[in-house]
Amino acid sequence: MSDTEEDSVSSDGWPINEDWLVEVLKQHHEVRSGIRITDFKVKQGCQDGVNNLSDILAVAVEYEFQHAPPQLETKHLDIVIKLLPQDPFSRFFVTEAQFDLREIKFYTQILPDLVAFQESHLSKADGASMLVSVPTCFYTQYAPAISPSQGSPEPPESILVLEDMRSLGFKGANFTAGLTVSQTEAAIRSVVAIHALSLGLKLKKKVDVNEKYPNENKNNE
């Protein structure tokens, strides 16, 4: 049994336990077996400020590949798990506007396209590449709500597992206190990079962004 702060944390039916984490790691490493978790710790992922759009958990995982050489066995991974809010009003607000689905699609569809475009059209040797400071996405799952008219009613389900960039030196912002000038500049640079790559994708590849990513752009028209 792992020595955890909380051996199992649940939010809306999503158990964060050893078996579940093994499945996440297997998907991330694209293997079917051979991963064993030696330790994991779960804590609240948003200590500062207020977060109404999701419940966030921070998980530190120690694991090993059972058939790897001894010097490569133990690995450490810091992740954040974003779940739908438990608060009924916040949950309705998020699912009605599909904020959760949009974020999942950003990491699984839009971002890979932008990165591929940058790699094929901007030369790092010329200093033309743009830094897109976003975490690696390890796992996603989404299921819309099922209404009584469609059959047995089911609540919506949404989960997003991302790299915890605090382990790389990044810091979370306390939005109730406001952003500093440097934090604002960093946020703007990231937004500019994403929009610039999106425009490049549209002009160079003749991609209709609104058509390819309809849900993500319908409120920005």
Side-chain angles (χ1 to χ4, degrees):
M1 189 66 176
S2 59
D3 180 18
T4 64
E5 292 183 11
E6 301 177 38
D7 288 325
S8 180
V9 176
S10 294
S11 179
D12 191 41
W14 289 104
I16 310 305
N17 55 35
E18 187 171 315
D19 291 339
W20 186 87
L21 288 170
V22 166
E23 293 303 316
V24 171
L25 292 170
K26 287 195 297 186
Q27 178 169 313
H28 169 55
H29 289 289
E30 298 181 340
V31 297
R32 294 184 178 181
S33 61
I35 291 179
R36 185 176 74 87
I37 291 179
T38 58
D39 184 37
F40 73 97
K41 293 180 173 64
V42 183
K43 63 182 180 180
Q44 291 297 321
C46 187
Q47 287 83 22
D48 297 323
V50 178
N51 187 71
N52 293 321
L53 298 182
S54 60
D55 285 348
I56 301 178
L57 301 173
V59 183
V61 188
E62 300 280 350
Y63 63 101
E64 61 185 21
F65 293 99
Q66 294 171 313
H67 304 297
Q71 67 272 22
L72 298 178
E73 281 187 356
T74 302
K75 287 185 173 291
H76 178 89
L77 188 65
D78 292 306
I79 58 177
V80 292
I81 301 174
K82 302 187 71 173
L83 306 162
L84 286 174
Q86 294 188 27
D87 174 71
F89 178 80
S90 297
R91 176 181 288 255
F92 176 80
F93 176 72
V94 168
T95 55
E96 183 69 13
Q98 294 188 321
F99 289 135
D100 55 330
L101 178 59
R102 292 170 191 236
E103 187 173 17
I104 286 174
K105 286 189 174 183
F106 171 78
Y107 283 104
T108 59
Q109 298 179 16
I110 299 176
L111 185 60
D113 286 351
L114 297 181
V115 171
F117 172 80
Q118 176 171 251
E119 291 176 349
S120 62
H121 287 78
L122 299 179
S123 171
K124 293 182 180 179
D126 297 333
S129 62
M130 296 182 181
L131 176 63
V132 182
S133 299
V134 296
T136 300
C137 178
F138 295 121
Y139 178 87
T140 66
Q141 188 160 342
Y142 176 82
I146 299 177
S147 66
S149 62
Q150 297 174 308
S152 178
E154 294 288 343
E157 297 175 337
S158 177
I159 191 166
L160 176 61
V161 180
L162 302 172
E163 172 187 21
D164 190 341
M165 296 182 74
R166 288 172 293 192
S167 63
L168 302 177
F170 288 81
K171 295 180 179 179
N174 188 333
F175 292 106
T176 59
L179 300 178
T180 65
V181 173
S182 61
Q183 288 173 330
T184 304
E185 290 176 346
I188 291 174
R189 283 195 295 269
S190 293
V191 171
V192 166
I194 290 172
H195 280 273
L197 291 172
S198 300
L199 181 60
L201 188 65
K202 180 178 181 179
L203 297 179
K204 292 289 188 178
K205 303 286 286 186
K206 307 302 180 185
V207 172
D208 187 326
V209 177
N210 288 327
E211 181 177 324
K212 186 170 185 180
Y213 315 113
N215 290 334
E216 291 71 20
N217 292 283
K218 67 181 181 181
N219 284 351
N220 296 322
E221 297 176 350

